[in-house]
Amino acid sequence: MAKKQQQQHQVMQQVPSIGGIRSSFQSLVALLIAILVVATIYIKQSNEQLFQYWTTYDKTITGLSSSCNLFAGKWVFDNRSYPLYKEKECTFMSDQLACEKFGRKDLNYQFWRWQPHQCDLPRFNATALLEKLRNKRLVYVGDSLNRNQWVSMVCLVDSVISPTFKSMHNNGSINIFKAIEYNATIEFYWSPLLVESNSDDPISHRVPDRIVRVQAIEKHARHWTDADYLVFNTYLWWRRRQMKVLWGSFESPEDGVYKAVKLPRVYEMALQTWAQWLEVHVDRNKTQLFFISMSPTHQKANKWGGIKGENCYSETKPVTEEEYVGDGASPRMMRVVDSVLGELKTRGLNVQMINITQLSDYRKEGHPSIYRKHWETITEEQLLNPKNYSDCIHWCLPGVPDVWNELLYAYILEL
C-alpha cells in the first residue's frame, strides 16, 4: 500500500498543475504580444524612414520659397483646372495609355492636382516651354515609363501647335516630335537599361534570358550627344535577383565571357558606365541633365488596406494616408542612383533628380489596368479574372506623368 502511494505521488509530481499550465500559457502570450509590439514599432519606424527618404532630394528652385519641397505634398481633386489636355484631342496619344478610349468609365484619375505643402507647383505653360526649347532638343532616354512621360509631354504641348507646324518621326529606337515653328524637338530614345542589352530592339525586346553589356553605352549615347536637355530613367527592367553580364559583343556572342551578377551590384556597374560617359562627353555649358526616380507599381492591394491577392484593378481613388509607403519601388537601388549622382556632383557635373516616387505611390488608381490596347488576344480565362492581365505599371493619360512633367517644367524654366 505504501509503495502504491509512493508511485501515485511520483506521477503527481510529473504531471504539471493547472496553475503551472496557465502560468506558462500566460507567459507565452505575453512574449508573443511583446514580439508583435516590437515588430509593429520596427515596421512603423521603417516606413517613416522610407517616407522621409522618398521625399528628401535636392528640390528647391530659384524663385520659390527656399523651404519648398516640391516632392512632399498631397493630391487635391481639381476638376476645374485639370486635366491639362484631353485624351481625344492629343494627336499622338498612345493606345497603351488611352484608358478612356478603351472603356474606362471613371475618369476622376484625370482631375488630381499635386499640391506641395509649402508652395504651389508652377502652372504648366506650353508656349513658355516651347520658347525655352526654341532651337533645342529635349530627349527622354530610358524604358516604357520614360516613354509614358514623353507621350505626356508631347500631349501637353500638342494643343498650342497648329497641325501644319508639327510632325512625328520614328526611326528605330528614336521617336522625334518636332515643333517646326520653334525648331524644337521632344524626343524619346528606347534604352531600357541605358547600357547595351539584348532588349534594345524597340519592338521585339521581351527575351527570356536578359543580357547586358555593362561597359558598353556608345551605341545608344551617340544619339543623345548634342541634346540640350537629357531626361534619363532606368529601373523597371532591372527588377530581378541577378542579371547575366556579357564581356564581349552581341555580334560574336560565342567569343564573349558571361557572368551572372546580383542586384544591386550589376545596376551600379551600368550606372557607373553611364556616369563616365556623361562626364567625358556632356557639354556642361549647354546640356542640362535630369534623372527620374523610380515609378512605383501597385501589384499588392493589401499594402494599402485592400484585399490580399488583388491589385490596381477596379481602384478609383488615391491613397490619402500621407505617410503611406508601398513596396513597388526599391530604396536600395535608389541609393545606388544617389551614390552615382553624388560622385558626379563632386566632379563638377550636376544631374538633377526629379523625385516622382512617393507622390506616384499614392496613385494606385492611375494605371491603365485592363483599359488599354492589348497586343495579345485575351483568353476566356483571363476575361473571367481581369486582375490577372491588368497593367499596374504604366499610367493612364492624362494623369500622373503630367505631374512628372510639371516638375520637370519647373526646373527647365528656372535653369
Side-chain angles (χ1 to χ4, degrees):
M1 183 69 176
K3 185 177 181 181
K4 185 176 181 180
Q5 288 178 340
Q6 185 180 6
Q7 288 175 344
Q8 287 177 341
H9 179 69
Q10 289 174 345
V11 170
M12 294 278 296
Q13 286 183 325
Q14 291 173 2
V15 177
S17 67
I18 297 298
I21 293 175
R22 184 180 294 113
S23 176
S24 298
F25 178 73
Q26 290 174 341
S27 299
L28 179 60
V29 170
L31 178 61
L32 290 174
I33 291 174
I35 292 172
L36 181 61
V37 169
V38 171
T40 301
I41 293 172
Y42 175 78
I43 291 170
K44 187 175 186 295
Q45 289 178 340
S46 297
N47 282 346
E48 288 174 352
Q49 291 171 356
L50 280 176
F51 176 77
Q52 291 299 321
Y53 177 73
W54 288 130
T55 56
T56 51
Y57 284 105
D58 179 17
K59 65 277 182 180
T60 55
I61 297 179
T62 306
L64 295 176
S65 167
S66 60
S67 63
C68 179
N69 181 345
L70 292 176
F71 311 129
K74 63 181 180 179
W75 290 95
V76 177
F77 189 78
D78 181 358
N79 59 1
R80 291 191 175 186
S81 53
Y82 283 76
L84 298 175
Y85 57 89
K86 294 183 178 180
E87 179 193 296
K88 296 177 182 178
E89 296 176 0
C90 178
T91 311
F92 304 104
M93 175 60 69
S94 166
D95 279 351
Q96 185 182 11
L97 315 169
C99 303
E100 183 179 0
K101 175 181 177 180
F102 287 90
R104 183 161 180 174
K105 301 302 180 185
D106 66 291
L107 302 181
N108 285 345
Y109 66 89
Q110 300 181 3
F111 302 123
W112 293 92
R113 169 173 54 84
W114 178 246
Q115 179 62 58
H117 288 314
Q118 296 106 352
C119 63
D120 292 324
L121 190 59
R123 173 77 175 177
F124 187 89
N125 184 315
T127 302
L129 178 67
L130 288 168
E131 283 293 348
K132 190 76 172 178
L133 295 181
R134 187 179 289 276
N135 300 316
K136 294 179 180 177
R137 296 176 67 201
L138 165 59
V139 184
Y140 293 82
V141 179
D143 58 27
S144 56
L145 285 159
N146 226 19
R147 181 168 55 207
N148 205 158
Q149 186 175 354
W150 168 73
V151 174
S152 160
M153 182 62 90
V154 170
C155 290
L156 283 165
V157 303
D158 179 59
S159 63
V160 302
I161 308 171
S162 65
T164 55
F165 287 97
K166 58 190 172 188
S167 66
M168 180 71 77
H169 177 65
N170 302 322
N171 183 15
S173 294
I174 197 162
N175 301 268
I176 303 172
F177 170 82
K178 186 168 187 178
I180 298 169
E181 184 179 1
Y182 295 88
N183 190 34
T185 60
I186 301 173
E187 309 173 29
F188 170 72
Y189 185 88
W190 172 261
S191 181
L193 298 144
L194 295 184
V195 293
E196 288 186 36
S197 75
N198 62 344
S199 297
D200 287 342
D201 189 292
I203 298 174
S204 179
H205 45 249
R206 293 185 179 182
V207 293
D209 190 17
R210 194 164 296 161
I211 303 171
V212 291
R213 296 181 65 208
V214 291
Q215 295 179 324
I217 198 171
E218 184 60 35
K219 184 185 80 172
H220 299 315
R222 59 190 176 89
H223 295 280
W224 332 320
T225 304
D226 64 344
D228 300 275
Y229 302 98
L230 279 169
V231 184
F232 296 97
N233 92 318
T234 186
Y235 164 62
L236 185 66
W237 288 64
W238 295 95
R239 296 191 312 167
R240 50 187 61 203
R241 296 182 65 182
Q242 62 182 26
M243 194 87 75
K244 185 180 288 186
V245 176
L246 167 64
W247 282 271
S249 74
F250 287 113
E251 287 71 29
S252 303
E254 66 281 353
D255 297 328
V257 175
Y258 296 85
K259 183 178 180 180
V261 182
K262 293 183 178 180
L263 268 293
R265 175 56 184 149
V266 65
Y267 186 61
E268 180 183 28
M269 293 165 71
L271 285 183
Q272 286 174 341
T273 295
W274 166 78
Q276 290 164 7
W277 183 90
L278 292 177
E279 187 178 7
V280 172
H281 293 92
V282 162
D283 183 344
R284 303 176 192 211
N285 296 318
K286 174 186 178 181
T287 303
Q288 302 293 334
L289 303 168
F290 301 91
F291 194 97
I292 307 298
S293 71
M294 53 191 62
S295 172
T297 62
H298 291 93
Q299 307 283 12
K300 299 177 181 179
N302 59 298
K303 293 296 180 180
W304 57 81
I307 299 172
K308 188 173 183 179
E310 299 295 319
N311 56 20
C312 73
Y313 174 69
S314 77
E315 293 290 340
T316 59
K317 295 179 181 179
V319 174
T320 55
E321 180 190 349
E322 185 177 339
E323 294 190 1
Y324 164 78
V325 177
D327 67 346
S330 170
R332 70 171 187 159
M333 289 181 69
M334 210 61 238
R335 289 188 181 99
V336 172
V337 178
D338 287 344
S339 176
V340 171
L341 298 193
E343 290 174 8
L344 277 174
K345 195 168 187 176
T346 62
R347 299 199 290 269
L349 188 63
N350 183 53
V351 181
Q352 177 61 55
M353 174 74 76
I354 305 292
N355 179 14
I356 66 166
T357 305
Q358 184 61 35
L359 65 90
S360 303
D361 213 359
Y362 300 128
R363 296 298 305 276
K364 58 184 171 63
E365 91 302 353
H367 300 284
S369 179
I370 65 172
Y371 303 107
R372 57 191 170 88
K373 181 175 181 178
H374 298 282
W375 308 105
E376 299 172 353
T377 303
I378 304 301
T379 65
E380 289 187 13
E381 184 180 354
Q382 287 176 313
L383 288 170
L384 292 173
N385 198 356
K387 69 181 181 183
N388 287 347
Y389 65 99
S390 290
D391 180 353
C392 298
I393 296 174
H394 302 94
W395 302 90
C396 296
L397 293 179
V400 174
D402 300 329
V403 172
W404 305 350
N405 280 320
E406 286 183 276
L407 291 164
L408 179 63
Y409 166 83
Y411 280 99
I412 289 178
L413 257 64
E414 291 294 336
L415 292 172

